[in-house]
């Protein structure tokens, strides 16, 4: 088996979890299958860097001394706001030499500044997607997914999504079982699909200010299999359907129907991941009614039907 070198770029005010999350995944893969990965960290001059949370990281070497790696990983953090021009220049020159280019969070901004994302699909932390799209119109910015793969370039959203992307890369390099073992060891989800939204429905939507609307939000979450049409929800909020729909969107940022769709999808996804219930039973429990309706919802939102989703993301029994 060919050993893959993973070179992690360090700089002042880097987000520590953007570094340590993926590193722990690749280190876990090396423990699981020795000889798989060689992890190296490097800063511009080889000097220690201070992360945005105050931790000090000591790199293995200077970037100028680093040979071309298999995987070049660029983390994000506050240090990407005004990056050292020397770092951008190094990425522009050396990024194309890596067999695989990976960014976490606002590390995508560094890749963009170096011209390495032009003509590609990419994502970054939700708070910076608009900036990335505005400053780099040649990039097809996808605001929703937790990570995006475009050929040999992979970009992920914020912080913990770097773990999801690293697990996906390990599964690609080794196999699914290795990724499962690492995920269980790190006590994280097996692996969230890249096209999963950066937010859950509850996080994506703002919390309504008015008590009746907040109660409706909670009711939807607790009763995905209930009668959740606008008329029924409006009655629960003691509002007319028209007033309710307008008020709900104004206060939460999404329509009632969109919120219900997200809640039902998340509920079904969790049941597929965490239980052995049949697809028909899950479709009813999640408010879809039929397995065909749920299948269409999964294909539209995640690009995969429920059965395939379960095959890929349901943890195998521990031995």
């Amino acid at each position: 088996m060919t050993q893959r070198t993973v070179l992690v770029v360090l700089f002042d005010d880097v987000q520590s979890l953007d570094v340590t999350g993926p590193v722990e995944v690749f280190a876990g893969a090396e423990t699981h299958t020795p000889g798989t990965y060689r992890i190296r960290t490097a800063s511009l001059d080889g000097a220690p860097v201070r992360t945005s949370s105050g931790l000090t990281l000591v790199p293995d070497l200077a970037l100028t001394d680093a040979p071309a790696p298999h995987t070049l990983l660029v983390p994000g953090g506050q240090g990407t706001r005004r990056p050292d021009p020397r770092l951008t220049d190094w990425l522009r020159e050396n990024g194309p030499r890596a067999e695989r280019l990976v960014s976490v969070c606002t590390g995508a901004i560094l890749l963009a500044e170096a011209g390495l994302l032009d003509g590609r699909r990419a994502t970054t932390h939700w708070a910076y997607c608009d900036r990335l799209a505005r400053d780099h119109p040649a990039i097809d910015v996808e605001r929703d997914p937790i990570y995006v793969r475009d050929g040999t370039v992979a970009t992920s959203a914020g912080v913990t999504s770097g773990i999801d992307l690293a697990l996906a890369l390990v599964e690609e390099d080794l196999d699914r079982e290795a990724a499962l073992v690492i995920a269980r060891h790190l006590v994280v989800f097996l692996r969230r699909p890249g096209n999963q939204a950066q937010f859950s429905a509850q996080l994506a939507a703002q919390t309504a200010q008015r008590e009746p609307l907040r109660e409706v939000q909670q009711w939807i979450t607790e009763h995905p299999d209930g009668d959740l049409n606008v008329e029924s929800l409006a009655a629960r909020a003691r509002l007319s359907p028209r007033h309710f729909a307008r008020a709900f969107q104004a206060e939460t940022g999404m329509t009632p129907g969109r919120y219900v769709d997200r809640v039902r999808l998340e509920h079904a996804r969790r049941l597929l991941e965490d239980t052995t219930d049949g697809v028909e039973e899950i479709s009813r429990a999640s408010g879809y009614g039929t397995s065909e309706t749920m299948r269409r919802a999964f294909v539209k939102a995640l690009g995969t039907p429920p059965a395939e989703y379960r095959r890929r993301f349901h943890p195998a029994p521990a031995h």
Side-chain angles (χ1 to χ4, degrees):
M1 181 179 295
T2 302
Q3 187 178 54
R4 298 170 174 84
T5 300
V6 178
L7 180 64
V8 183
V9 177
L10 301 182
F11 49 86
D12 283 326
D13 280 331
V14 68
Q15 161 66 251
S16 57
L17 192 55
D18 288 2
V19 176
T20 58
V23 163
E24 289 293 344
V25 171
F26 290 120
E30 172 63 20
T31 299
H32 179 271
T33 309
T36 303
Y37 294 104
R38 182 172 186 244
I39 304 166
R40 308 284 279 170
T41 57
S43 64
L44 273 172
D45 302 314
V49 302
R50 190 172 177 82
T51 72
S52 57
S53 60
L55 298 175
T56 296
L57 302 179
V58 181
D60 296 310
L61 71 166
L63 284 171
T64 51
D65 297 329
H70 174 276
T71 299
L72 178 62
L73 192 149
V74 182
Q78 296 176 12
T80 64
R81 296 177 183 177
R82 297 180 182 84
D84 190 318
R86 294 179 300 159
L87 177 56
T88 305
D89 290 342
W90 186 89
L91 288 171
R92 184 179 296 109
E93 179 180 353
N94 294 275
R97 298 177 183 175
E99 293 185 41
R100 189 163 61 195
L101 199 55
V102 177
S103 71
V104 181
C105 197
T106 54
I109 292 176
L110 296 180
L111 296 185
E113 292 289 342
L116 299 173
L117 298 181
D118 288 352
R120 293 187 180 275
R121 297 163 45 247
T123 193
T124 186
H125 189 285
W126 62 269
Y128 294 90
C129 282
D130 287 344
R131 170 186 166 182
L132 184 62
R134 181 189 68 241
D135 295 347
H136 302 278
I139 302 173
D140 180 9
V141 178
E142 299 192 8
R143 293 166 172 77
D144 207 30
I146 59 173
Y147 62 81
V148 171
R149 303 287 302 277
D150 189 335
T152 59
V153 177
T155 53
S156 61
V159 286
T160 58
S161 63
I163 295 175
D164 295 293
L165 177 53
L167 286 169
L169 297 177
V170 167
E171 182 175 339
E172 176 183 290
D173 294 342
L174 301 179
D175 54 39
R176 182 172 181 270
E177 182 58 30
L180 282 168
V181 170
I182 297 163
R184 285 198 293 265
H185 179 72
L186 295 178
V187 197
V188 297
F189 283 110
L190 160 61
R191 178 162 68 82
R192 294 182 292 174
N195 53 1
Q196 180 175 317
Q198 292 192 32
F199 289 122
S200 67
Q202 292 86 347
L203 290 177
Q206 303 167 44
T207 300
Q209 294 297 313
R210 283 185 277 180
E211 183 64 29
L213 296 180
R214 287 202 303 272
E215 291 178 357
V216 168
Q217 284 182 288
Q218 187 65 29
W219 171 265
I220 294 170
T221 301
E222 295 175 353
H223 302 85
D225 59 341
D227 183 359
L228 303 181
N229 60 48
V230 170
E231 288 74 17
S232 297
L233 296 177
R236 182 166 294 277
R238 297 176 294 281
L239 298 171
S240 71
R242 186 175 182 181
H243 187 189
F244 168 76
R246 287 180 176 177
F248 190 95
Q249 183 164 7
E251 294 203 20
T252 68
M254 64 175 64
T255 66
R258 176 64 171 154
Y259 189 81
V260 168
D261 287 345
R262 287 203 174 197
V263 167
R264 283 177 167 163
L265 184 70
E266 288 166 16
H267 188 263
R269 198 188 71 241
R270 285 194 297 270
L271 291 179
L272 288 169
E273 293 172 356
D274 300 335
T275 76
T276 58
D277 296 346
V279 171
E280 285 284 354
E281 183 179 355
I282 291 174
S283 67
R284 291 192 297 271
S286 303
Y288 289 110
T290 68
S291 58
E292 176 57 25
T293 301
M294 187 169 82
R295 189 194 70 81
R296 289 198 299 268
F298 266 68
V299 170
K300 179 180 179 181
L302 302 176
T304 187
E308 174 63 14
Y309 182 93
R310 166 169 274 173
R311 188 191 71 79
R312 294 174 63 192
F313 303 116
H314 185 74
H319 299 293

